[in-house]
Amino acid sequence: MYGDIKKPTHLDDVVFKESKAYKNSNEWSWVNPKHGEFDHPANYYESSLEDWHCFDTLTADQECDVVVIGGGLLGSSAALHLAEHGIDTILVEKNRIGSAASGRNGGQLTPGLARWEAEEMIKRFSYEDAKKLWHFTSTEAMTLIDQIAEKYDVNLARKRGHITAAVHEGHLIALTQGADARKYLGEDHTKVVGEYELKALIKSDLYKGGLVDDLGGHIHPLALNRALVHGFCKNGGQVFEQTEVNSISEQADGIYVQTVTGVIKARKSVVIAVHHNAFKLLPEKKQTAIPFHTYIAVTAPLDVPITELLPQDHPVYDTQLQIDYYRGVSNNRLLFGGQGTGTSWGVGHINQYLLGRVNKVFPQLNKVEMDFCWSGVSDLTMNGATDNRKFGNKYPIYAVHGWSGHGVAQTVRIGKAIADDFSGKNADYAMLTKIQHSDILFGRLLAPLAIPMSKGWYGVTGMLNPGKMVSF
């Protein structure tokens, strides 16, 4: 039906324009007024790609084997891999493909399961189970993205290498321990470097050293999202945008997915891939995640080559409590993100904050201007790992949420694991469902208070013990 859906195509720089997505009350986007006045401007990612296909809204009842709810990276990956297995699949998205966190994140590829890294897995599992989980979320996740790019011949602006920069010399101990844990689990792509060696990679005086990770890297996340849907369509999948799901109901002959404009009967399964709003559709009302707001800006073209700041084009995040993360993007621009809040901060506050951080990290820059700035919403679990569920009586229902601000590559890998589990190919997804999560009583209501209180507490402990690495 959609075999002619084109691949994502990158522009040389950007076209300032209105977004094709609909406004979300939880998020905002801004562009510098010198480039025009827009009611709902496209963020950098949408502006740096050619306009793409807009799928129709569901207008009539449908029937298929599996319904995937949510057109972000998780849902699109699950749909693609289901379709590759020959399973009749429909993907529905309440807004536009990649309009939420999957098309608004920092685009950094780092290993781990949300905030769980190798050390955490070793503490919680047997050696063999920890090793399996680590490779699932690291080597396998990164390899899968490369395989998809090759199979469907898509340009994802994929770059290799990543740096975790230590803002305190004591943090090098934690980074060294993390690298050692990864080697213990059979993955050796890291090197801990000191202050002077790091300066050859990041032209900033802020850092005392860091961890260089050759496995990680960065990517254009919206291009990745569109590439997954492109592949899904080539395999015969159907997509409906502007199609919000109100409820799901398991009955004797299938699962009925009720949308605003029609009903889709799933004969065999449903995948719920709607991030922090998943609890609205879950029959299990256990709330294991709370939402939090994050922010990203992209500069105007800089007055010095980006290679004078990041000579080898590494993306970076640091080890301060409220992390900075940044990387070079097209036409000599710098993408810079940071801050996580319980309520949405306004564009004026965030622009000032992020511009101040850019100048702090790279004081050698002159007259830095922001061309783009936007907010996004992620979700946070108590233990820092994703909550992966499988339930249902006669028919399996899958749901994943709680990314805690991390996991571009792992989201794609879990989408494949869902398809493999449904097809009976392996037990990878079953491994994820064994991770236990605590209910957060009144969690969503308390998020505006809980997040600043937690950050305040960690800030105090950080002042008392600055060598202890705690990042939010």
Side-chain angles (χ1 to χ4, degrees):
M1 177 179 286
Y2 302 114
D4 60 344
I5 300 301
K6 66 181 182 180
K7 305 170 188 177
T9 302
H10 298 260
L11 303 172
D12 291 336
D13 186 23
V14 298
V15 173
F16 297 95
K17 58 188 178 182
E18 291 283 354
S19 175
K20 292 292 181 70
Y22 287 86
K23 277 188 176 181
N24 183 328
S25 59
N26 291 322
E27 299 166 341
W28 49 259
S29 296
W30 171 92
V31 298
N32 193 317
K34 69 192 290 184
H35 300 298
E37 295 291 338
F38 303 96
D39 178 56
H40 179 39
N43 67 19
Y44 167 79
Y45 296 126
E46 189 178 357
S47 297
S48 60
L49 295 175
E50 285 187 2
D51 286 345
W52 200 60
H53 191 82
C54 290
F55 294 93
D56 293 337
T57 301
L58 179 72
T59 56
D61 293 352
Q62 300 280 335
E63 186 171 333
C64 62
D65 288 335
V66 180
V67 174
V68 178
I69 304 169
L73 290 171
L74 176 65
S76 299
S77 176
L80 167 62
H81 291 100
L82 286 164
E84 287 182 339
H85 293 327
I87 297 162
D88 181 16
T89 304
I90 291 177
L91 173 66
V92 295
E93 162 59 44
K94 72 176 183 179
N95 197 322
R96 296 290 186 191
I97 296 298
S99 59
S102 292
R104 302 174 73 85
N105 63 75
Q108 298 201 13
L109 300 178
T110 56
L113 183 65
R115 291 180 183 269
W116 276 19
E117 298 191 7
E119 282 186 282
E120 191 68 30
M121 296 176 189
I122 292 169
K123 291 176 185 176
R124 293 176 179 265
F125 300 104
S126 69
Y127 173 77
E128 289 302 326
D129 288 346
K131 183 177 181 179
K132 181 179 179 181
L133 181 58
W134 179 252
H135 282 273
F136 177 93
T137 62
S138 59
T139 55
E140 293 177 24
M142 305 300 173
T143 299
L144 178 60
I145 287 180
D146 293 334
Q147 290 172 340
I148 292 168
E150 181 178 1
K151 182 174 183 177
Y152 294 100
D153 189 27
V154 287
N155 176 11
L156 304 178
R158 170 83 154 95
K159 302 291 182 67
R160 300 180 187 279
H162 183 275
I163 296 173
T164 306
V167 298
H168 189 281
E169 59 186 9
H171 297 174
L172 292 172
I173 297 173
L175 294 179
T176 301
Q177 291 170 337
D180 180 59
R182 291 171 62 165
K183 292 177 184 177
Y184 176 67
L185 295 180
E187 181 269 298
D188 188 8
H189 291 86
T190 57
K191 179 175 71 170
V192 176
V193 300
E195 180 176 357
Y196 299 111
E197 192 172 357
L198 186 66
K199 282 185 178 178
L201 303 174
I202 308 173
K203 298 301 183 180
S204 175
D205 293 330
L206 280 187
Y207 307 121
K208 306 302 180 182
L211 179 75
V212 181
D213 178 1
D214 294 332
L215 182 63
H218 55 125
I219 204 165
H220 193 298
L222 184 58
L224 173 60
N225 204 156
R226 291 179 177 180
L228 295 170
V229 175
H230 163 73
F232 174 59
C233 293
K234 285 184 71 69
N235 283 278
Q238 292 188 73
V239 182
F240 295 101
E241 293 181 317
Q242 303 176 65
T243 301
E244 184 170 4
V245 174
N246 291 331
S247 65
I248 60 175
S249 173
E250 185 179 1
Q251 300 182 24
D253 61 341
I255 305 170
Y256 287 78
V257 178
Q258 178 71 57
T259 79
V260 175
T261 52
V263 177
I264 309 173
K265 176 185 173 182
R267 293 183 291 262
K268 297 180 179 179
S269 182
V270 165
V271 179
I272 302 173
V274 293
H275 211 43
H276 61 95
N277 286 323
F279 80 100
K280 295 180 180 179
L281 299 176
L282 297 174
E284 303 170 317
K285 295 303 181 183
K286 184 178 179 182
Q287 293 188 28
T288 56
I290 58 174
F292 71 99
H293 300 261
T294 63
Y295 311 91
I296 299 174
V298 173
T299 69
L302 300 175
D303 61 347
V304 300
I306 197 76
T307 52
E308 291 189 15
L309 308 179
L310 300 167
Q312 295 186 25
D313 200 23
H314 286 92
V316 179
Y317 66 74
D318 67 18
T319 63
Q320 64 178 332
L321 172 63
Q322 184 58 72
I323 68 170
D324 293 330
Y325 56 93
Y326 49 89
R327 61 191 181 94
V329 291
S330 63
N331 199 29
N332 207 51
R333 298 175 183 273
L334 183 69
L335 180 150
F336 201 102
Q339 199 53 261
T341 60
T343 56
S344 180
W345 287 7
V347 63
H349 192 174
I350 289 300
N351 254 335
Q352 184 179 21
Y353 171 80
L354 292 177
L355 184 60
R357 293 307 307 166
V358 170
N359 289 324
K360 180 73 173 178
V361 176
F362 297 117
Q364 64 268 46
L365 291 174
N366 297 310
K367 299 179 181 178
V368 179
E369 282 191 299
M370 297 304 188
D371 269 354
F372 299 89
C373 189
W374 66 92
S375 72
V377 184
S378 188
D379 53 358
L380 181 72
T381 60
M382 287 286 287
N383 67 6
T386 54
D387 182 357
N388 306 270
R389 304 188 195 184
K390 180 182 178 182
F391 51 92
N393 297 315
K394 185 178 179 181
Y395 307 100
I397 301 172
Y398 300 88
V400 184
H401 60 278
W403 283 103
S404 302
H406 296 264
V408 171
Q410 298 77 7
T411 308
V412 177
R413 181 65 184 89
I414 291 178
K416 182 179 185 299
I418 290 172
D420 289 346
D421 185 88
F422 176 80
S423 304
K425 292 187 176 295
N426 57 54
D428 288 345
Y429 190 75
M431 166 182 66
L432 300 173
T433 64
K434 293 176 183 177
I435 299 171
Q436 298 299 306
H437 290 268
S438 300
D439 192 11
I440 305 174
L441 187 64
F442 304 119
R444 302 185 68 82
L445 297 175
L446 294 178
L449 294 175
I451 289 175
M453 288 175 63
S454 297
K455 289 169 64 177
W457 168 252
Y458 285 127
V460 170
T461 58
M463 291 174 62
L464 297 174
N465 184 8
K468 183 178 180 180
M469 192 175 80
V470 179
S471 298
F472 185 82

